[in-house]
Amino acid sequence: MTDERTHDARTEGRLPCGRDTDALVAQVADGSAEPRDAHQRECPYCQAALAEFDRLWAPVRAVADHRPRAPEGLLDEALRRIRGVAADPEFGTISDVRGRTRISAHAVESLARHLASGVPGVRAALSRLVAAGGGPETSLVGGPEVTAGVAGSSTVVSITLAADLGEDLVALGDRIRATVADGIRASTGLEPVAVLVHVDDVLL
C-alpha cells in the first residue's frame, strides 16, 4: 500500500504535523510520554508516535528499574528501532517471520472512513486536519474523511462527524471507537492506540 504524498527533505525527522521526532523520543526516554501538551492531546500523529516510541523504549525502562546499567547493546537497539520508525512517519509497519508490510496512513484513513460510515447514527465523518501548533481545522466534502497518525505498529485515528438528531452521543462515540478499532486491528494488524471522535454537528 502506498501514499501519493511527496516527501520533503526539509521535513526529515518531523511528523506530518510538524513536530520534531527527536523531541518526542526524548520525552519518552525521560519518562514523560504522559502528560502530553495541548497539541499532543489532539494530534493523532503525535499520539501514535508517542505510543510506539514508548513501546519500543519499554525494554530499556524495564532493565533500568532493576539494574544500575542496561546490558550492552540494549540502549542502542532500542534507539535503532525508534529511529527506523521515526524515519518513515507516514507508514505503519507490521513485521513477522515472512517479511514486512508497510501500511500508509492514507490506507488507514480509508478503512476508518468506511467503518465509521457504517455505524448507525453517523451522518458524515469529516476530516480534522491538525496543523503544527494547533492550526486551523478543515472539513472536507465528498464523503467521509478521517485523519490517521501511524508509527510502527501503532495508529491513532481522529474522526469529526455529524450525528443524527436524537442519538445518545456518548453511546454513539463508544460504538464508533469499538467498530473502527476492531476493524483496523483485524484488517491491518496495526494497534489502534486511540480513536478520537469529535461530534461537530447534529442533523435532522
Side-chain angles (χ1 to χ4, degrees):
M1 302 179 189
T2 60
D3 197 330
E4 295 298 326
R5 296 174 227 190
T6 59
H7 177 73
D8 186 341
R10 291 172 299 178
T11 64
E12 190 74 33
R14 292 189 178 275
L15 299 178
C17 65
R19 285 294 177 97
D20 184 357
T21 55
D22 286 345
L24 298 184
V25 172
Q27 183 176 340
V28 168
D30 289 342
S32 303
E34 297 284 355
R36 299 170 181 175
D37 64 29
H39 169 86
Q40 292 168 352
R41 287 194 294 271
E42 292 292 328
C43 178
Y45 306 118
C46 287
Q47 290 189 36
L50 283 168
E52 185 69 5
F53 296 170
D54 192 56
R55 183 183 73 81
L56 295 175
W57 194 255
V60 177
R61 187 163 45 247
V63 170
D65 288 341
H66 300 288
R67 300 184 184 179
R69 287 179 60 88
E72 186 172 349
L74 179 63
L75 181 61
D76 289 340
E77 174 62 15
L79 288 172
R80 184 190 67 79
R81 295 175 67 188
I82 287 173
R83 288 184 183 122
V85 169
D88 206 6
E90 294 194 22
F91 285 84
T93 305
I94 299 296
S95 299
D96 58 28
V97 294
R98 295 170 295 180
R100 185 179 70 162
T101 302
R102 296 170 73 235
I103 303 168
S104 73
H106 178 71
V108 176
E109 290 166 356
S110 297
L111 176 59
R113 176 188 312 128
H114 172 73
L115 293 166
S117 296
V119 176
V122 174
R123 289 287 292 273
L126 307 172
S127 73
R128 184 182 180 90
L129 304 182
V130 186
E137 299 167 8
T138 304
S139 294
L140 301 183
V141 296
E145 293 289 342
V146 299
T147 301
V150 291
S153 62
S154 300
T155 184
V156 173
V157 177
S158 179
I159 305 170
T160 299
L161 61 92
D164 285 333
L165 181 66
E167 283 289 330
D168 179 333
L169 300 183
V170 174
L172 177 63
D174 289 341
R175 292 198 302 273
I176 293 167
R177 279 187 286 274
T179 299
V180 172
D182 290 346
I184 289 174
R185 192 179 291 115
S187 296
T188 69
L190 296 174
E191 179 57 34
V193 177
V195 177
L196 312 175
V197 177
H198 309 273
V199 179
D200 190 55
D201 203 353
V202 176
L203 303 177
L204 293 173

